[in-house]
Amino acid sequence: MSRLVVLNLGQGNLHDGFATVTAQLGEADNPYLTKLTASLPAAPKISELYQNWQLVYYAFYQRLSWRLDIEIDDNFEIEEGYVTNISESDINDLCQMLSKRMNAWLNSTKFRKIDQQLRTQLKPSEEIRFIIETNDNLLRRLPWHLWNFFEDYPYAEVALSAAEYQRPNKSLVNNCKDQVRILAIFGNSQGIDISHDRTLLEKLSTRAEIKFLVEPDLSHLNEQLWQQGWDILFFAGHSCSKQKGFLQINQTDTITLEQLKYALKQAISRGLKLAIFNSCDGLGLAQQLQDLHIPQVIVMREPVPDVVAQEFLKYFLAEFSSGKSLYAAVRSARERLQGLEGEYPCATWLPVIFQNPAQAPMIWSHNARNKWKQKAASSMVASIMNARGVQTNIRLPLATPVFSKTATLDSLLENLNRKLLDNQNRPLNDTEILLLRGIWQNQTYIEIAQQGGYSPGYFTNVVAPELRQKLSQIIGRRVT
């Protein structure tokens, strides 16, 4: 089951504490099943540790190639002598101290009511979208994934949100498309290698329609955004955040998203669902897009080494385009970056989702894959129906001799539940019944998931494999 948690931190801050913290717990189609209220104490030490970590992080990476090269941001100038004194162990020590301090804070007596109720009502096997609502820039920079909660819930991923949001206005333009449409912008690449990003996107040519803009001027970029029907906006190049986010769209022009405000609003109204900034320090960019009510943004919290940006994009695109939910794909891609942390410390800290809670997460359209999925799903039911001990007079709407008999779906479910109770002492759960009913009606996994308010990746990667294994055990042969 896909679950949703929205944690609102209210008007407090780390120096004064948070007098009122609320948590809403629900499901994809009903986010308001439970509401909890607690508080959090002041934690100024977290602010101090983060600032120390940030200084050490910047100093360590000054020697490497990263995707921040904008002269307007003077905060990243660090004395050369200091750089030579920074080691990987310095960063790791601060990481451990910050992690322990954050977990002690979130385990405080004042907050324990929310923590305990979440753990009581949520299951580790559930996919969980965990959205933290705050306008505080420091809170947005914290590595929330270090909270032990996310260690205990492997299918949960954190996202950030503004405290205020709304659903964007939608255009009446017909946006029906056979493929995902991506507008890919490649800005100034001086000192970094973004050609690898393009290669990764080009591999999606059979699953997406992609328009590449290489070092465009503002006018050309503005015009392309006004075109109909973009699903994803992608940027690779140099960026940074101060009070606002800045992009180097070519070797001479640095812009803010305010200069594209009307074009972006038009693109969002026509169906732009996701913006990905595979560039440095993107929190300012995410905030500007949240002000325009875009559904989702993925950015890097801090300056990002070139290799880390490339590897994250590779892992994320592979997972997301193959059927995983956006949240599951980000968590998987982020955690796979751990293999780089011997050379690039804190790589797993960098990617973060910004979510408009009024909008559902984007789902990758798989028209070409749906036919294969339907065939596989039909094969699973055919295996069940042909199996010994589950012979019933049933007709499925499929062109196969296996279903040339007559009966009802309820008869099949009744027989399966009887077998499961006899052999495993538990019947089909709600999501398994939903899956079987959808297959019976010739629906794809995506259609079944949307109908039930779940992510397709949850059915593809969790529900269907577990159901096949369960049925294989009671039938006595492999269900495919």
Side-chain angles (χ1 to χ4, degrees), residues 133-272:
E133 291 183 358
T134 178
N135 291 333
D136 187 287
N137 187 57
L138 176 56
L139 291 174
R140 290 180 170 192
R141 289 189 176 273
L142 293 181
W144 288 95
H145 69 281
L146 296 181
W147 182 13
N148 288 338
F149 175 89
F150 295 101
E151 184 72 22
D152 299 334
Y153 290 82
Y155 299 105
E157 178 65 355
V158 68
L160 301 172
S161 167
E164 296 180 353
Y165 48 83
Q166 68 183 52
R167 189 183 298 270
N169 295 322
K170 293 295 183 181
S171 169
L172 296 178
V173 174
N174 183 1
N175 286 324
C176 293
K177 302 178 289 291
D178 290 333
Q179 289 184 313
V180 170
R181 297 193 69 207
I182 303 174
L183 179 61
I185 305 160
F186 292 86
N188 180 20
S189 61
Q190 184 177 359
I192 59 175
D193 178 16
I194 58 177
S195 63
H196 189 62
D197 298 51
R198 176 160 186 161
T199 300
L200 293 170
L201 287 171
E202 287 173 342
K203 290 181 179 178
L204 298 175
S205 59
T206 59
R207 304 181 190 180
E209 178 186 340
I210 308 173
K211 173 73 173 181
F212 293 99
L213 299 181
V214 179
E215 296 199 12
D217 58 28
L218 180 61
S219 176
H220 188 203
L221 176 54
N222 182 77
E223 183 62 28
Q224 288 298 318
L225 284 168
W226 276 90
Q227 301 298 316
Q228 296 181 16
W230 300 117
D231 297 296
I232 298 175
L233 174 66
F234 174 85
F235 175 83
H238 292 295
S239 67
C240 77
S241 296
K242 291 185 76 176
Q243 290 79 14
K244 297 181 179 180
F246 294 86
L247 296 174
Q248 279 194 355
I249 57 173
N250 55 50
Q251 294 187 25
T252 58
D253 296 326
T254 298
I255 67 167
T256 71
L257 295 186
E258 181 69 22
Q259 294 171 263
L260 294 168
K261 175 180 176 179
Y262 299 117
L264 287 166
K265 288 179 69 174
Q266 182 72 0
I268 293 168
S269 74
R270 289 179 168 175
L272 180 62

Side-chain angles (χ1 to χ4, degrees), residues 4 27-32 129 133 161-171 265 268-273 289-296 355-362:
L4 174 66
E27 300 171 358
D29 56 345
N30 187 2
Y32 304 111
R129 292 187 290 131
E133 291 183 358
S161 167
E164 296 180 353
Y165 48 83
Q166 68 183 52
R167 189 183 298 270
N169 295 322
K170 293 295 183 181
S171 169
K265 288 179 69 174
I268 293 168
S269 74
R270 289 179 168 175
L272 180 62
K273 304 172 185 67
L289 282 171
Q290 283 208 312
D291 291 342
L292 301 178
H293 313 301
I294 191 171
Q296 289 91 212
Q355 174 72 49
N356 179 347
Q359 291 286 99
M362 177 185 171

Side-chain angles (χ1 to χ4, degrees), residues 375-386:
K375 182 178 179 181
S378 301
S379 174
M380 178 167 67
V381 173
S383 297
I384 298 168
M385 297 301 304
N386 264 343

Side-chain angles (χ1 to χ4, degrees), residues 395-411:
R395 176 178 293 169
L396 287 180
L398 300 169
T400 167
V402 175
F403 310 117
S404 59
K405 306 173 183 179
T406 59
T408 66
L409 174 62
D410 290 338
S411 299

Side-chain angles (χ1 to χ4, degrees), residues 37-52:
T37 303
S39 61
L40 277 166
K45 187 65 175 179
I46 291 178
S47 175
E48 178 185 334
L49 283 171
Y50 168 75
Q51 291 170 357
N52 290 340

